[in-house]
């Protein structure tokens, strides 16, 4: 989980870069605007907290329950959604109307 948290912080939140770098009001505070290891560790700890929180909150499913959920719920929802998307494409509704 530490490795995935570190990779997620790097790929999705900018890794060691500061989230306050482009703001002129916060540019005077050197710790907030400066990129460094403290931002990377803070972002990694945020992802670790989220992973641990989700794991403790939601129940664990058995393998047969996951298979049943996939075959009886997710595949039919996906097929209906694909048909809805195809209908929207044929009738030029949504982003295909342009």
């Amino acid at each position: 989980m530490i490795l995935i948290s570190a990779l997620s912080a790097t790929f999705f939140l900018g890794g060691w870069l500061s989230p306050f770098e482009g703001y002129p009001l916060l540019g005077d505070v050197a710790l907030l605007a400066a990129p460094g290891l403290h931002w990377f560790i803070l972002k990694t700890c945020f992802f670790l907290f989220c992973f641990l929180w989700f794991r403790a909150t939601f129940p664990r499913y058995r393998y047969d329950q996951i298979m049943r959920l996939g075959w009886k719920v997710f595949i039919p929802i996906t097929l209906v959604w694909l048909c809805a998307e195809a209908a929207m494409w044929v009738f030029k509704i949504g982003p295909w109307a342009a």
Side-chain angles (χ1 to χ4, degrees):
M1 284 198 314
I2 295 171
L3 177 65
I4 295 299
S5 297
L7 287 173
S8 298
T10 303
F11 291 152
F12 301 116
L13 295 182
W16 60 89
L17 299 175
S18 171
F20 305 111
E21 191 171 343
Y23 296 108
L25 295 176
L26 297 173
D28 296 336
V29 181
L31 185 63
L32 287 178
L37 188 62
H38 59 281
W39 287 115
F40 179 71
I41 291 172
L42 187 68
K43 293 173 185 179
T44 303
C45 288
F46 169 73
F47 276 112
L48 276 172
F49 172 75
C50 289
F51 285 144
L52 292 173
W53 181 34
F54 291 156
R55 186 174 178 183
T57 302
F58 298 115
R60 294 184 189 165
Y61 285 105
R62 294 188 320 258
Y63 185 74
D64 61 321
Q65 291 172 326
I66 294 172
M67 293 298 290
R68 186 176 340 128
L69 185 69
W71 282 103
K72 292 187 177 181
V73 176
F74 290 140
I75 289 179
I77 288 173
T78 303
L79 292 175
V80 168
W81 184 249
L82 284 174
C83 292
E85 288 286 328
M88 289 171 62
W89 181 69
V90 167
F91 295 114
K92 305 275 192 234
I93 301 171
W96 302 279

